Structure formats: structure tokens, C-alpha cells
Amino acid sequence: ERNRTMVAKEEKKIVDAARKGDKQAFEKLVKAHSKKIYHTALHLIADHDEAKDLTQETFVKAYRAIDRFDGRSSFMTWIYRILVNLSLNRRKELARTRPGKLRDQRIQTFIMDKTNRDEDNPERQVANRRTIEALSKAIDELSEVLRTTLVLVVFQNVDYRQASEILGCSEGTVAWRVFRAREILREKLKGHLT
């Protein structure tokens, strides 16, 4: 807890310097958060090139608006909010121009990593692969709101309080969305879970 407080204080100093126009300070923030933003973008947009573009766009937008960052939330929460808004807009665009191309390969990889313990059991591997495919498809079919909330909380380990700040809703709403998303996934995966 004390260590986290020290990190937060250090980051606040860097953010304050960036707000005053210190480009090197902003570059430190980019370095500290770009990997996490990229991985979140990849979950949200399901395309490596799009995720790279979104990450860059997120930091460009943050750089242009850093002087208006009021510090009421953490820098990470603020930057996540920018990313989520950009990615939701981009997903709508892609849904119109490239329907069916938004399958999240990272979710498949994430789950495969968790289930690769059955390496010496080919039947189990095939069953796992089918379950993963079904789960990915079910996640793709969630509404944008449920999917985004699920990605933040389950795949990015964002706590309910921070997710509520990012998504602009109450913690109770975040909890309900995660519960509802899991309920839908459980229902869709009934035949795959033994």
C-alpha cells in the first residue's frame, strides 16, 4: 500500500510537469502506460494494426488535452477513458466497413494459455479449442457496453471503482454488467462446459 502511494505521488509529479508543457515528462507517461493501453486496445478492437493506431491516437489526444487533465482521477483512468471512447467509435466504423472482422484473437490466446495444461491429452485439447472458439464468438456477440466492461474488469484486471470512472457509471452498474456478461456467456456455453 505504501509502495503504491509512493508510485502515485511520483506519477503525480510527472503528470504535473507534463501539464506545464514538459515533453519528456509526457514521454515518461507514454513509456509507463503504452503497453497496458495497447493490450487493452487489442482486446477492444481485435486487430493488431488497429490497436497500434488506437494506442498512438490515445496518447496524441491525451497530449493535446493534458493541460485540461484535472487530476480528480488517476492518469491511467483518464487515459483509459480516452481509449475506450476512441475504440468504441472505431468499432462502430469497422462494423460498418468490415463486418465480421472483429474477432478477438487475444481472448483465444489468453484462454489457451490457461488451458494448455492438457498438452498430452489430444481429446481434451480439441474440446478446449472448441470451447475457446465458442467463448470468443459469445464474447464477440455481447453488446459493446457489456463487452467493454468485461474486457476492462476480467481481462485487464481493472477494479470496479476504476472501471466506473472510466465508463462513467456507478460501481454497482459495473458489477451488474460483469454479472450479466458472465450470465450470457454461461448460457451460450452450456453445451461446451462439462
Side-chain angles (χ1 to χ4, degrees):
E1 188 58 49
R2 204 165 139 242
N3 198 17
R4 196 183 300 170
T5 306
M6 281 172 55
V7 169
K9 281 181 181 174
E10 182 61 31
E11 182 161 280
K12 189 182 177 331
K13 282 182 196 169
I14 297 168
V15 170
D16 287 343
R19 286 175 67 196
K20 290 172 187 159
D22 184 336
K23 286 182 182 175
Q24 283 182 316
F26 190 80
E27 281 172 25
K28 280 183 188 172
L29 293 169
V30 172
K31 206 172 199 174
H33 298 292
S34 60
K35 202 175 268 187
K36 202 161 176 83
I37 289 296
Y38 170 75
H39 287 302
T40 306
L42 197 49
H43 273 310
L44 294 170
I45 208 75
D47 178 289
H48 289 281
D49 292 332
E50 291 289 344
K52 281 181 196 166
D53 290 348
L54 267 179
T55 301
Q56 193 172 357
E57 205 178 327
T58 298
F59 284 110
V60 166
K61 199 163 184 170
Y63 181 74
R64 289 182 182 148
I66 190 77
D67 58 329
R68 295 192 304 275
F69 173 62
D70 60 16
R72 280 184 295 182
S73 63
S74 71
F75 178 78
M76 191 65 202
T77 298
W78 182 66
I79 202 128
Y80 259 137
R81 198 176 308 133
I82 293 170
L83 171 67
V84 166
N85 290 334
L86 288 172
S87 65
L88 287 173
N89 291 337
R90 188 69 185 127
R91 274 185 71 87
K92 282 178 197 162
E93 262 178 60
L94 291 173
R96 280 195 309 271
T97 58
R98 290 173 18 194
K101 295 279 187 200
L102 292 172
R103 175 62 54 86
D104 189 345
Q105 299 302 322
R106 282 204 79 239
I107 288 173
Q108 289 189 7
T109 307
F110 179 90
I111 302 157
M112 269 187 172
D113 288 346
K114 300 247 182 244
T115 56
N116 262 349
R117 290 160 191 81
D118 297 313
E119 288 166 5
D120 52 351
N121 185 339
E123 282 176 31
R124 196 78 205 128
Q125 273 189 324
V126 170
N128 283 346
R129 210 160 280 131
R130 284 193 188 125
T131 303
I132 290 161
E133 187 61 36
L135 180 58
S136 295
K137 187 174 184 293
I139 289 170
D140 289 345
E141 291 168 358
L142 289 172
S143 71
E144 290 297 338
V145 167
L146 291 181
R147 193 176 170 285
T148 302
T149 307
L150 188 75
V151 164
L152 286 174
V153 174
V154 175
F155 293 100
Q156 294 305 122
N157 295 318
V158 171
D159 64 39
Y160 285 8
R161 184 193 54 75
Q162 193 180 14
S164 75
E165 289 176 31
I166 294 165
L167 299 168
C169 61
S170 70
E171 286 182 48
T173 301
V174 170
W176 180 86
R177 287 176 184 173
V178 171
F179 170 78
R180 184 73 188 116
R182 285 181 166 151
E183 200 176 47
I184 291 168
L185 295 179
R186 213 172 286 121
E187 188 61 35
K188 289 187 179 209
L189 293 173
K190 256 184 186 163
H192 292 275
L193 302 172
T194 49

